[in-house]
Amino acid sequence: MHTVHEVIEMSGHIIDSYTLPRAWDTIMDRGGNFDVEEMQVGATKNDTSYVRLKVSAPNDEILEQIISQLQQLGAVMMQADDVHTHTVEQDGVLPAKFYSTTNLPTQVRLEGQWVTVEKIEMDVAVVIDRAQKRAYCRPMHDVKVGDEVVIGHGGIRVQAYERERERDTFAFMQSDVSSEKTKVRAIHNIAQQMKEVRARQGKILFVLGPAVIHTGAGRYVAELIRLGYVQVIFGGNAIITHDVESALFGTSLGVNLKSGDQVEGGHRHHLQAINAIRGVGSIDKAIEVGLLREGITYEAHKHNIPMVLAGSVRDDGPMPGVISDMQVAQGLMREEVQGVEMAIMIASMLHAIATGNLLPARVRTFVIDINQSVVTKLSDRGSFQAAGLVTDAELFLRELLEAVKKD
Amino acid sequence: MHTVHEVIEMSGHIIDSYTLPRAWDTIMDRGGNFDVEEMQVGATKNDTSYVRLKVSAPNDEILEQIISQLQQLGAVMMQADDVHTHTVEQDGVLPAKFYSTTNLPTQVRLEGQWVTVEKIEMDVAVVIDRAQKRAYCRPMHDVKVGDEVVIGHGGIRVQAYERERERDTFAFMQSDVSSEKTKVRAIHNIAQQMKEVRARQGKILFVLGPAVIHTGAGRYVAELIRLGYVQVIFGGNAIITHDVESALFGTSLGVNLKSGDQVEGGHRHHLQAINAIRGVGSIDKAIEVGLLREGITYEAHKHNIPMVLAGSVRDDGPMPGVISDMQVAQGLMREEVQGVEMAIMIASMLHAIATGNLLPARVRTFVIDINQSVVTKLSDRGSFQAAGLVTDAELFLRELLEAVKKD
Amino acid sequence: MHTVHEVIEMSGHIIDSYTLPRAWDTIMDRGGNFDVEEMQVGATKNDTSYVRLKVSAPNDEILEQIISQLQQLGAVMMQADDVHTHTVEQDGVLPAKFYSTTNLPTQVRLEGQWVTVEKIEMDVAVVIDRAQKRAYCRPMHDVKVGDEVVIGHGGIRVQAYERERERDTFAFMQSDVSSEKTKVRAIHNIAQQMKEVRARQGKILFVLGPAVIHTGAGRYVAELIRLGYVQVIFGGNAIITHDVESALFGTSLGVNLKSGDQVEGGHRHHLQAINAIRGVGSIDKAIEVGLLREGITYEAHKHNIPMVLAGSVRDDGPMPGVISDMQVAQGLMREEVQGVEMAIMIASMLHAIATGNLLPARVRTFVIDINQSVVTKLSDRGSFQAAGLVTDAELFLRELLEAVKKD
Amino acid sequence: MHTVHEVIEMSGHIIDSYTLPRAWDTIMDRGGNFDVEEMQVGATKNDTSYVRLKVSAPNDEILEQIISQLQQLGAVMMQADDVHTHTVEQDGVLPAKFYSTTNLPTQVRLEGQWVTVEKIEMDVAVVIDRAQKRAYCRPMHDVKVGDEVVIGHGGIRVQAYERERERDTFAFMQSDVSSEKTKVRAIHNIAQQMKEVRARQGKILFVLGPAVIHTGAGRYVAELIRLGYVQVIFGGNAIITHDVESALFGTSLGVNLKSGDQVEGGHRHHLQAINAIRGVGSIDKAIEVGLLREGITYEAHKHNIPMVLAGSVRDDGPMPGVISDMQVAQGLMREEVQGVEMAIMIASMLHAIATGNLLPARVRTFVIDINQSVVTKLSDRGSFQAAGLVTDAELFLRELLEAVKKD
């Protein structure tokens, strides 16, 4: 049988991080084969290993698929050509063989030099600026006629995610989303990491679902903002609406947050909250005139914390400040995730997935939800870096706040 | 203590439908009180009952809340004034005391006559056209300066939802979302109702989540379209993207739908599917040039079934035809739900909730999901009419198709 | 059509507690009919109501079913005969028409006098001791030849469960098992009720699943025992085994409870814990010789708190003290639930259901689990009195402990 | 630092099955270290690899833990001593350093010869019969004074579970318990495997929960028995009680299985069913006298299929034939799993976990439940061989039956 082949090399902790066996799996699962041309195994746990594989496949298409997969594991093609590109011929349409990114650190070879792709995120294209010798991520709908887009797999280098040896909280949580684990320790560890991130002026992103307000935990988030542990907030119409409702009426979805009573039957309060803010024109104005005096939104505005609120088709209102156009909302989220070092997603599914798609793999991401299937779903979406905690949003935030306040 | 009061009357099966005890609950829960001025109890199950209550409350605000609740139970205020209105003074902002709708049939009194509110849906305002003697539902963001909006609670009549006595599938399902029930019978009953709706040319709406495609059940929906059991489809970017992916590549999220194998590691296929359709410009064009030859989207277009696809912030692409602006998407959905008699929502949460908000209570709604908490969430959202079935989307559709094909 | 009939009467808050409409439902759902012979409706919320119904049915069997249902709603048959009985003819076998109990307070008429059935629980028979004029609950397998067992429905009076008007925690929780509610307040309210129960020397029962230990929350239960808030504990082999494992090795299922690390791969520690206690012979002996020095089991023994540990077919070991015979275990649980006023069931399914079956309706029961379907399942099992809280066992217990420690 | 060490060797597909990297992980996670003394890597996917490692650890205890773990991965200690044993000194109590089994094929070295451990299951001890040169699994509570029990880790060889390369249904299912997969194909593949097992006269075990009856799927199991696809059944009081209830009354928990109506309010039918069988004395007698004429239990008895029914503390009755003593029940289950080649566990948790503990790793095990957390829990319990399917019990069985009936 006629076959095609490529030679690739991999190095690092490729054996104890399971990278090499996964590479071999990938090759064989796709119908390819390989020869080990050279292999040096690190003798102790501190030594790295090296392997050079000749990968063969029955045809070019399969070979390309295999190489594409191996690149995500950190493989580099031996014949280091420059990256191949193709010019966009139609706005919002990519060349057929466009290279689709991972969220791992990625480099492309331009005139013999490895250049880091900027603003890395998953599932987008890479646009080359030859004049500046720079490379950027660009979502499909944003490419313009004339953009030079990376195609194929040559001249691309992806830095694989190496599982850390340390048994830290992260590893502990990552291994398992079980609710049957001691969580206080995990929460304290998250608090510790938040302090470290803030000590080096890093940004912490919170993605919040409306259950944060319904459970009465909004005040803990407000306090975290005041203490300087929140640098950016993502959410939707529901979180801001119920936050404002709770500030104006003391209720969330009509339930009194102090007494737990249903104050009035329907959803009237949340509509009144939206209408009231629409009446004065904006959140800024509502704060200025003294209408809005507390809550997450209030604190965020007082402390100049950007809130990106992406609407959805189920929204009432919406509240002023909520973005109705999804491309615009994504665009703003893309800007705000720059520089984020840690993301904490609580009781949110839609906005958490949207955010997960935009975050580079290096961002430590914690997903907190009481529903195990939500946590699993988020952890499964190719976000290597996401760790899940199946627990109660309210009690999580209460504990987290106490933990960051201790020295 | 000084109190305020109103006299209301209720009639119908107000005792065996629990309407009267619920009314009394409501009054007392809100801090009011009542005297039974007159009561006639139907002696047998076929007789209706009548009650006239003098409702008192400590102040006007509480009285208004109580009356607002009682109206949703079908209470009518005795002093039948005309409906009160207030003029909109700012685009997109309602008068402070605006009346917020339920999804129940509603009438307003105009110049002594009861006029039915058109296009009834939940949580919106009622706009009066005095010239035409008509009343319409209007979402907050759509009201314009000069619109005459209903305020307060006088002159409004809501037709309460009377629990049916028949122990039909619907009642059976509605009572409980347990997975521990025999479902084949429930599915056959849904099939029977679909036939009845179609026999009188009624519209059936399907709201579909991407798991319909991932589980390989897209072909059952395609067949239901061909058989004439689908008149309108709601969904998002995911359902159409994976449907087109499966038509173009035989995969969904990269998993071969015949073999179950992961064909290629990442999400590349779905991005290629989007890019391919963007390349030719539209779904229509893709069908015209022979690129798209099968699947739900293909059948829908061939049979002139409208698909309203509302985007979300997590979308890749999006696929041409997916609406990025949420107000526009809601507006289209509002148009398409007119005339719908039955709604079947499968493995969808976001779009199912959005649709539930727009449907009048008279539309029979079935929510099918394997996750009990989704079914509960949807049933709980004030949609009296939603019945849930905790089961497998794929096996549900397979069985439903078989059932409609039998005579 | 020939029909049979009975006249029954009901009184109390039969309208605002929905008792009367439920009675009418029951009659019609079973195929019967009724005439209202007399009805007096309480005019205000403080007045009680009265109704006398003539209930008819197509045959005796259906009439009996209807009357059986109505009795659970508090209906009393007008022709107050003495209770009917039949003698047991075979050990462990009941007469064919035996009366099956509810968990509601129940009386039987003996020689014209109403006698309260002792040790009331669900789904068992009532045995009459004519000499002593007493009546007892007795499970099927415990009846002996010659026991006089109640049959039919005459001469039985059940005190219906009247929904309370107060919007207390209990009502709040009972209405809904949603995780999207503020729980801190509910927990504080439970703490308050615990204090009240203890102030009057009432017994509090804890039913514990092994996740209490796995999550590191065992120490909170131990502290509650020391503070006098636990009078009896039910559980299985898992809770005691992991509690002893954590006392001996600092681990639960091999996971270090302080660091969260997997100390050793398998389950060896829990087997060693069982083996160690088996080696010294008993928990008592293990405490005496200084082998067991801390934990729930230790504290329970030190404070003379009975632990009833019912084994199951999945157990390893078992640990000494775990009861292998299910009839024996049930018998002991029956004894220990006497006098219990409050039951708190945490992260347990099997033992929680078993306990729920034995508890009279008057016992306030709280079910805490992170899995909504467990909470729903337990609340649904005919235990009117069970309130559910979907939350994290560890954080629940931590908060509960803090709350009882505050004055 | 002083260290202790052992030399071990591993061979086979130790790299592409991740065995070697997992071994290195284990060593380092436990605080040990290693040197690669010799390593031969198979160059292609058909070649096996070999490695000899010198494993060192800070003390004997840690070294023992590491070696214990490595043995489960198939490592063999180089200095092949005979197995070490210690004599039982107290009935039901093991020697302190007893070797705790896995469910993998295991051999012990007796007088220089490798002898296979019989009746292998998880978490039990190994007893040596030197006279017969045989070795058996024995649960802790069954050991007697004088039994010779294996201790330590020398002289033990465990055959590691090698992940199969073929992408069969099993691998497909094992990888993921997601409900978002096409299941019809998986079900057909299970049917195919059932046919293969039966073609070679292998035994198929069904573990059944009561939801099989509640959902009306009992008739599919009955048909599978008639067709010869069921050789042994495990379950509890609930499955047999509701099966008999459905045979006698056409209901399950009082719900008519044809109409879905609640026939009578309470649980009376299931108590009557138990009482009726107790009245005639046994299931056998009930069939003989014509009382029981259909259902799973009836078919099982007609076809001489053993049913092992282990009671639990929550049982009513129990039904004759249900075993009340847990040690006795486990003992019978141990006997009946001998020879089982395939296990299908449907809508059961307690009995499925109990069975999983007893099954050797070679038995193909399928776990079907609509609740993802149950499937995850079962798959996680160290049963490498368990594959999960998150789907509806009723529709699963319906499809499975259709699939086995096709040729």
Side-chain angles (χ1 to χ4, degrees), chain B residues 37-58:
Chain B
E37 297 199 336
E38 189 185 345
M39 180 160 183
Q40 293 152 17
V41 177
T44 74
K45 68 176 171 185
N46 296 315
D47 299 338
T48 57
S49 301
Y50 168 86
V51 71
R52 192 170 68 248
L53 299 178
K54 180 176 171 188
V55 179
S56 51

Side-chain angles (χ1 to χ4, degrees), chain C residues 101 105-108 115-120 125-128 135-137:
Chain C
T101 57
T106 302
Q107 294 178 301
V108 294
V115 169
T116 297
V117 177
E118 300 175 33
K119 302 196 174 180
I120 191 73
V126 177
V127 171
I128 300 297
Y136 308 85
C137 279

Side-chain angles (χ1 to χ4, degrees), chain B residues 167 172 179-185 187-188 211 214-216 220 256-261 370 390-392 394-396 398-399 402, chain D residues 167 172 179-185 187-188 211 214-216 220 256-261 370 390-392 394-396 398-399 402:
Chain B
R167 283 263 150 190
F172 158 67
S179 60
E180 296 199 349
K181 288 243 178 127
T182 171
K183 272 149 278 186
V184 169
R185 181 181 154 274
I187 297 171
H188 285 244
H214 299 332
T215 59
Y220 307 128
N256 185 304
L257 291 175
K258 291 227 177 59
S259 69
D261 294 350
I370 203 162
V390 178
T391 192
D392 192 296
E394 178 190 12
L395 300 181
F396 169 82
R398 187 181 172 87
E399 190 73 42
E402 276 186 28
Chain D
R167 284 263 151 192
F172 158 66
S179 60
E180 295 199 350
K181 288 243 177 128
T182 171
K183 272 150 280 186
V184 169
R185 181 183 153 273
I187 297 170
H188 285 243
H214 299 332
T215 59
Y220 307 129
N256 185 305
L257 291 175
K258 292 229 176 59
S259 70
D261 293 350
I370 203 162
V390 177
T391 192
D392 192 296
E394 178 190 11
L395 301 181
F396 168 82
R398 188 181 172 88
E399 190 73 41
E402 277 186 27

